[in-house]
Amino acid sequence: MSESTDVVVIGSGAAGLCAALAAAVGGARVTVLEGSPHWGGTTAVSGGQAWVPDNHRMAAFGVADDRADALTYLLGRTAGREPELATAFVDAAPRMARFVEAHSPIEFTPMSTPDSFAEAPGGKPGGRNIEVAPVELGGLGRADDLFWPAAFPMVLTNEEIAGLGLMTGGQLPQGLIEYRMTTGQVTLGQGLIAGLLHGCQAAGVQLRKGQPVSGLRLDGDWVTGVRTPYGELGADAVILACGGFEHDAGLAERLLHGPYLHPVSPPVNRGAAIRLAAQAGAAFAHLGEAWSWPVRQGSTWADGSPRPELVLSERMLPHVIWVNQAGRRFVNESSHNVALAFAEADPVTGLPRNLPAWAIADAHFRARYPFAGAYPGQPLPAHVRQADTLPELADQLGIPAATLTATVTEFNTHAAQGADPAFARGAFAYDRHGGDPGAPHPNLGPLTEPPFLAMPVQAGLVGTKGGPRVDAHARVLRWDDSPITGLYAAGNAMAAAIGPGTVSAGATIGSALTWGWLAGATTSGPHRTPAAPR
């Protein structure tokens, strides 16, 4: 069976749905093809916040921003990237946010999260991140049926979670949680996807899940549609928004520069975008990079594959440090780009010099904060090690006892004074924002009270950064920099415009929404693809 439409969007995360909404509002007939049985991809299991410099909600937060500051900051933290892509992002992101609000039930609210390098030129202490206010599911259905299962009910916003101090002893607002669950309201990544789904439905977008794309339809150098197990779907434009390749073990092992083999994303991002783009002769970039994060052992997905969890409390809060197998600290544990340290290679062996890594905490930490997913009073997972002395703990971990003891002693001496001369932990706005405001220092505290605990810290990622190169209009490029007629990419399906590290929490989703909006808007704007041969 062969059908036709104007625009096909492959994938239903933030990038895909924003692209579909923009194309449909621009007058195109749009079909979204989601290969899995769930909407939203990685976005739906994420915190959902988006980094949008100079957004229209910043004024309410009391922080001024402008294009010049945003460009200064972004260009200063994105080595090896095309300046025109940074400019396109900075110009488009605030327009995207207004567009999404105008064409969906989404209302964005500003967040207090600082930029990763708020002290750098152009950096801001908060306000550039936005998140959705609670969104009603309404006729979409139940969250359990719509999305990949979340680690917890997504009914509180990021700002509410931070304000309640849930990682530092705060109490859950049971009444508010029950009200939102009863009324079918969702937040975070589910709220963002639900709002975009509502907008797409209202704009007439055809939404089809469980429909993977097996190949592109080509007419010479033109992309003229897609091939699926159910037949062909002709189109003037195809937008790749189907994520990266972190769940394809072969691609990840061959391409990624670091040992980032513990993805937290749902087990669907298996390299479809780069395979499809390769069929059309696309050029690729940044295939060795990832949106890297430290992770810990978690649960499993429905198919039995591991589902690691992001390490949060064990890197931000007092009375904990990280050490490598030599028993030494190796990084500012509270920094946003902390996981890049896992890619550092030993000059002799070429192996990662900081793996295995361990989060070491004491009884002060255990009494106040969650450790390895266990809150105070809950039993610790079996993979956590504990001992009454540091030498005993070191013996369990197979690391030099004298070195671990010396490392902790040195850290304690300075932490008691609220300082970290070795790595400057806690000296930056990003660090302090994620710490404990009720502690003598939000990030630093000595490790003195037994029993001592150890949790493995693994090199993880929330998505890959490599993919087909795009121009400022999200058109996929060939190796000679000419655009491939009819092919666009956005989100983790494209070569990321931000890197090699990150610049803020929410940069992944902010990029996905913005490049999705650019791709969708381009299909009905002056840079749109000509009508494809039929």
Side-chain angles (χ1 to χ4, degrees):
M1 181 177 68
S2 181
E3 303 176 75
S4 67
T5 188
D6 296 328
V7 178
V8 172
V9 178
I10 306 174
S12 67
L17 294 182
C18 197
L21 182 61
V25 170
R29 295 176 301 148
V30 183
T31 300
V32 173
L33 299 180
E34 168 57 57
S36 83
H38 302 289
W39 301 114
T42 306
T43 305
V45 299
S46 75
Q49 61 181 299
W51 188 66
V52 180
D54 198 22
N55 68 76
H56 63 290
R57 297 296 182 182
M58 289 185 72
F61 188 74
V63 175
D65 200 7
D66 57 32
R67 180 178 187 271
D69 275 357
L71 272 176
T72 296
Y73 178 70
L74 188 53
L75 292 173
R77 312 305 310 183
T78 52
R81 259 52 180 189
E82 297 90 338
E84 59 271 21
L85 296 187
T87 301
F89 170 80
V90 168
D91 288 342
R95 297 170 60 199
M96 173 277 298
R98 288 185 180 274
F99 170 88
V100 168
E101 285 194 338
H103 296 284
S104 77
I106 286 174
E107 177 186 347
F108 287 118
T109 59
M111 298 179 62
S112 56
T113 309
D115 289 340
S116 304
F117 308 96
E119 297 78 10
K124 298 297 176 182
R128 279 178 169 163
N129 273 278
I130 53 178
E131 65 174 331
V132 298
V135 175
E136 291 188 3
L137 290 171
L140 294 175
R142 298 171 60 253
D144 291 346
D145 299 325
L146 290 167
F147 313 118
W148 290 95
F152 52 87
M154 291 190 174
V155 292
L156 299 176
T157 68
N158 288 290
E159 286 293 281
E160 289 171 338
I161 293 170
L164 290 163
L166 297 184
M167 282 203 307
T168 57
Q171 297 299 307
L172 286 169
Q174 294 293 349
L176 178 59
I177 291 173
E178 291 173 7
Y179 170 75
R180 288 187 179 161
M181 293 184 73
T182 300
T183 55
Q185 296 182 51
V186 288
T187 59
L188 308 180
Q190 288 185 358
L192 179 57
I193 294 300
L196 290 171
L197 284 171
H198 279 303
C200 284
Q201 284 187 341
V205 175
Q206 289 193 40
L207 298 164
R208 303 178 183 179
K209 62 181 179 179
Q211 295 208 14
V213 172
S214 55
L216 296 177
R217 197 176 78 172
L218 299 170
D219 189 336
D221 292 336
W222 288 38
V223 174
T224 62
V226 298
R227 305 181 191 279
T228 79
Y230 307 99
E232 295 185 353
L233 182 57
D236 297 330
V238 173
I239 301 175
L240 303 176
C242 43
F245 56 86
E246 64 269 21
H247 282 283
D248 185 303
L251 288 176
E253 290 175 4
R254 289 195 299 273
L255 299 178
L256 291 180
H257 290 166
Y260 306 121
L261 300 180
H262 300 279
V264 301
S265 54
V268 291
N269 300 324
R270 304 186 187 277
I274 59 175
R275 290 186 173 92
L276 293 171
Q279 292 180 20
F284 296 92
H286 314 309
L287 292 172
E289 296 180 8
W291 299 98
S292 58
W293 264 94
V295 300
R296 58 175 174 80
Q297 183 175 326
S299 57
T300 58
W301 295 101
D303 65 357
S305 60
R307 182 179 183 174
E309 299 287 343
L310 300 181
V311 174
L312 297 172
S313 60
E314 302 91 348
R315 55 180 277 261
M316 305 300 298
L317 300 174
H319 307 291
V320 65
I321 61 172
W322 292 5
V323 299
N324 56 22
Q325 200 63 20
R328 297 186 176 91
R329 289 180 69 213
F330 55 91
V331 72
N332 169 5
E333 298 93 339
S334 298
S335 63
H336 197 182
N337 287 282
V338 60
L340 294 179
F342 295 136
E344 296 175 8
D346 184 286
V348 177
T349 66
L351 299 174
R353 68 190 309 169
N354 297 318
L355 290 172
W358 303 89
I360 309 294
D362 74 346
H364 288 115
F365 189 102
R366 176 72 176 126
R368 185 167 174 82
Y369 312 124
F371 190 78
Y375 279 80
Q378 295 179 334
L380 289 165
H383 62 271
V384 172
R385 313 287 179 84
Q386 56 182 314
D388 289 331
T389 69
L390 288 170
E392 290 172 346
L393 186 66
D395 287 344
Q396 291 187 40
L397 305 181
I399 62 181
T403 306
L404 178 62
T405 300
T407 295
V408 173
T409 299
E410 180 183 3
F411 175 81
N412 288 350
T413 299
H414 299 292
Q417 306 299 318
D420 178 22
F423 296 101
R425 178 175 168 189
F428 307 101
Y430 176 87
D431 301 12
R432 297 188 295 273
H433 181 267
D436 182 355
H441 188 286
N443 309 105
L444 299 172
L447 284 69
T448 57
E449 184 70 24
F452 299 98
L453 311 173
M455 178 194 78
V457 179
Q458 299 171 321
L461 69 161
V462 298
T464 51
K465 286 187 173 182
R469 291 181 57 231
V470 299
D471 65 10
H473 307 287
R475 300 178 296 189
V476 174
L477 300 176
R478 299 185 179 87
W479 291 102
D480 63 2
D481 290 343
S482 64
I484 297 173
T485 303
L487 191 61
Y488 305 77
N492 290 352
M494 62 176 259
I498 295 175
T502 191
V503 295
S504 177
T508 312
I509 292 179
S511 296
L513 288 167
T514 301
W515 288 100
W517 179 77
L518 279 166
T522 301
T523 63
S524 57
H527 298 280
R528 66 185 181 276
T529 300
R534 298 295 189 189

